[in-house]
Amino acid sequence: MLTDFDTKTSPSVPAEPLRRRDGALLDRAFTRAAGAPLVTGNDVRLLKDAAENYPAWLAAIHGAEHTVYFENYIFREDGTGAEFAEALGARARGGVRVRVIYDWMGGLGKTSGRFWRSLREAGVEVRCFNPLQFSSPFAWVHRDHRKTITVDGRVGFISGLCVDHIWGGDPKRGIEPWRDTGIEVRGPVLCDMERAFAQVWAATGAPLPADELTPRESIALAGDVAMRIVANAPGNTGLFRLDQLIAAAARRTLWLTDAYFAGIPPYVQALRAAAGDGVDVRLLVPGASDIPILRPLSQSGYRPLLEAGIRVFEWQGTMLHAKTAVSDCCWARVGSSNLNIASWVGNYEMDAVIEDERFAAALEQLYLADLDHSVEIVLRPRRRRFALDTKTSQATGSGARRESAGVSGSSGSASRAAAGALRLGRTVGAALTEQRVLEPAEARLLFLVGALLLGLGAVALYWPLVIAAPFSVMLAWISIALLARAHALRRQRRAGGQPAKSLVRTTAASPDTEPHLPRD
């Protein structure tokens, strides 16, 4: 069974196929691009959907003896959230240091202050990432989109799942679970996961104590899997560079699953170049989105991929939320990052990049199983869809759509909004500047934008205050924030302090002055 995959059962398979195949040069390129070293001696278990991820998470939390680091974009106040809150609170009351980070935007309207107070009263240390601040009008675009847990430096989890009942579905109402993928990790790479958590913890307040993080040398070897932890931070494009390298290095296959795909031109070109060189490039995306209004934006990006020979599939069911990639049956990625600019540039994200033939083979099997529940998009008149027989790779007829009930806007994904805004801007820009030929599939999108702008123009003509008032408020907000920041910097200068975020020339730090937490 796929989710029972255990790397320790096949010791005859080498743990570092990429390094063996292409030598130290490729390994060095991956390390530099991702900013993450390859760590050996690990064990990885593939987990499918909430039915396998949530029980594993809870079992690890219940068994915690020293520390629990829990970081998630959404921690919803519902039955699922209550179950996790009870587990975390029980361990905190038992003397375990339990630390939780949730994202302000992810929790907006989903979790009350009372919920967090009850956790704090139980002894859990809770921090909110990047709440809305008057002094920083646009800082809200940077989000903590990670979904990760580490326990005692012994076991960890990386996935695309949030803490929300919608991931589990509703059997009584016939609503299927959201499709998502995660992994359970053991071994020395947990050191990197803990330090990634410490990075965000320090960004939200006082850093972790220097002696709390688990030293790498104290973590026992758990298997023979080689992997990297790519902990993206705002402005750090490590995963984007790595994704481009993988597209360039792929020889036979590159199979992608993404919930909010909006590839920017350099990445789309990398995929098109791989397909043009004979690589079997496939992209699996949701057939029904948690933000339905943005669905036309996603579909408008299919044609450049299809024309290059890239195969695009839409999942038939509730929401497909997984973010995975597998290439040449030797390289795989699982985590929280979507293939769009919000994840590549704007958010804190965490992904596990695994170089192991057995794990990649298991993820390939899971991908093919997902294609059995998908339909392929083809370049035909009226954009007809055909169900794919993944065993014969032949179109066999139109696929029946599954019930998509339960897919709503409840997740509030900033990545989806960013992906939609990017594609919208590219389409409108192309229409105005004629930089490229627009496709018929983009007609609906341009019509909607044109109608919206016409409506706004009419409102501005007849009721100018409706447009002017919000614009004036925004300008006032920005100006006051800038004046307040300038005043604070002047006070700091007068007090003899170094101007915040100034450019200063420094010398190499000595061992006595080296900070206790690594900097990314």
Side-chain angles (χ1 to χ4, degrees):
M1 182 178 178
L2 283 175
T3 51
D4 289 334
F5 167 76
D6 185 347
T7 59
K8 294 181 289 187
T9 59
S10 304
S12 61
V13 181
E16 300 177 9
L18 284 177
R19 297 181 73 190
R20 182 198 65 211
R21 188 187 71 186
D22 294 303
L25 181 62
L26 190 58
D27 177 41
R28 187 181 304 119
F30 286 170
T31 298
R32 291 180 179 177
L38 190 68
V39 180
T40 58
N42 307 288
D43 178 48
V44 183
R45 185 163 69 104
L46 186 62
L47 301 172
K48 179 183 176 183
D49 297 344
E52 295 182 358
N53 281 272
Y54 286 170
W57 297 4
L58 288 167
I61 293 170
H62 288 312
E65 298 178 354
H66 306 292
T67 59
V68 176
Y69 299 148
F70 196 107
E71 183 178 2
N72 209 295
Y73 180 66
I74 297 174
F75 199 128
R76 193 181 187 94
E77 186 177 1
D78 57 15
T80 300
E83 187 175 12
F84 277 94
E86 175 58 33
L88 294 168
R91 296 317 301 141
R93 288 188 293 269
V96 176
R97 286 169 294 192
V98 181
R99 306 185 191 275
V100 173
I101 303 173
Y102 72 96
D103 185 85
W104 175 81
M105 181 174 287
L108 188 63
K110 302 177 182 66
T111 313
S112 67
R114 182 179 63 254
F115 180 87
W116 299 120
R117 282 195 301 273
S118 65
L119 267 180
R120 291 186 176 100
E121 290 168 357
V124 178
E125 295 185 60
V126 179
R127 291 188 181 179
C128 176
F129 178 82
N130 199 15
L132 186 65
Q133 302 177 52
F134 183 81
S135 61
S136 302
F138 298 108
W140 63 270
V141 299
H142 300 302
R143 307 314 323 166
D144 180 11
H145 196 244
R146 296 177 180 177
K147 294 96 175 178
T148 178
I149 307 169
T150 54
V151 176
D152 293 340
R154 172 180 54 84
V155 61
F157 302 90
I158 298 174
S159 74
L161 288 86
C162 296
V163 180
D164 192 320
H165 72 280
I166 59 177
W167 264 264
D170 189 344
K172 294 181 180 179
R173 296 172 54 196
I175 299 175
E176 296 178 354
W178 279 23
R179 175 69 190 87
D180 219 327
T181 302
I183 57 171
E184 178 183 286
V185 180
R186 298 176 187 270
V189 81
L190 288 168
C191 174
D192 297 335
M193 292 179 61
E194 286 194 346
R195 278 151 182 76
F197 177 88
Q199 174 193 35
V200 182
W201 189 260
T204 58
L208 292 175
D211 60 350
E212 185 170 306
L213 298 177
T214 309
R216 192 185 303 276
E217 58 271 15
S218 70
I219 302 177
L221 300 181
D224 56 7
V225 174
M227 60 187 296
R228 310 171 195 269
I229 299 299
V230 183
N232 246 29
N236 177 356
T237 59
L239 186 65
F240 175 63
R241 296 194 301 270
L242 184 65
D243 282 337
Q244 285 188 298
L245 266 180
I246 290 300
R251 296 182 174 183
R252 299 185 306 276
T253 60
L254 177 57
W255 295 353
L256 308 167
T257 302
D258 200 74
Y260 307 116
F261 178 81
I264 60 178
Y267 186 64
V268 172
Q269 180 57 35
L271 296 181
R272 286 168 57 93
D277 201 28
V279 178
D280 176 12
V281 182
R282 305 185 186 189
L283 174 65
L284 174 61
V285 294
S289 173
D290 56 333
I291 307 180
I293 194 172
L294 295 178
R295 179 168 159 75
L297 301 179
S298 295
Q299 293 178 325
S300 67
Y302 290 166
R303 182 169 290 271
L305 303 175
L306 296 171
E307 289 176 340
I310 297 168
R311 303 177 70 182
V312 179
F313 303 86
E314 286 188 347
W315 169 261
Q316 302 299 288
T318 54
M319 179 63 185
L320 172 74
H321 197 259
K323 304 97 166 48
T324 67
V326 58
S327 177
D328 292 348
C329 198
C330 63
W331 180 95
R333 174 173 63 80
V334 177
S336 67
S337 296
N338 294 293
L339 298 174
N340 63 45
I341 198 167
S343 287
W344 280 327
V345 178
N347 296 339
Y348 283 95
E349 305 276 3
M350 184 182 290
D351 294 80
V353 176
I354 302 156
E355 299 185 9
D356 184 85
E357 290 180 347
R358 292 152 299 173
F359 182 86
L363 195 58
E364 279 193 352
Q365 293 177 42
L366 186 58
Y367 193 93
L368 291 173
D370 286 341
L371 292 189
D372 284 337
H373 297 276
S374 306
V375 292
E376 184 170 8
I377 308 300
V378 295
L379 286 173
R380 299 280 182 88
R382 300 180 182 271
R383 293 179 61 83
R384 287 183 293 170
R385 293 180 174 85
F386 290 85
L388 177 73
D389 182 344
T390 57
K391 295 181 176 58
T392 62
S393 296
Q394 298 292 328
T396 58
S398 59
R401 253 181 217 284
R402 294 192 165 198
E403 177 62 46
S404 61
V407 179
S408 66
S410 59
S411 75
S413 174
S415 294
R416 187 60 168 181
L422 176 65
R423 184 161 289 127
L424 177 64
R426 287 166 53 192
T427 300
V428 174
L432 296 177
T433 63
E434 298 186 357
Q435 291 179 340
R436 65 176 175 86
V437 177
L438 292 169
E439 302 295 342
E442 297 173 297
R444 180 184 176 190
L445 179 60
L446 291 177
F447 177 82
L448 293 174
V449 174
L452 176 62
L453 292 177
L454 182 63
L456 288 175
V459 171
L461 179 64
Y462 290 100
W463 301 283
L465 281 178
V466 175
I467 302 295
F471 185 67
S472 298
V473 169
M474 179 59 70
L475 288 179
W477 183 4
I478 295 172
S479 63
I480 293 173
L482 292 175
L483 291 171
R485 180 67 60 83
H487 178 66
L489 291 174
R490 290 185 65 183
R491 289 183 60 186
Q492 186 176 6
R493 184 179 62 185
R494 289 171 181 171
Q498 187 66 245
K501 298 185 179 179
S502 63
L503 234 85
V504 294
R505 192 176 298 276
T506 60
T507 58
S510 67
D512 294 334
T513 61
E514 188 70 22
H516 63 268
L517 291 178
R519 293 173 294 176
D520 288 344

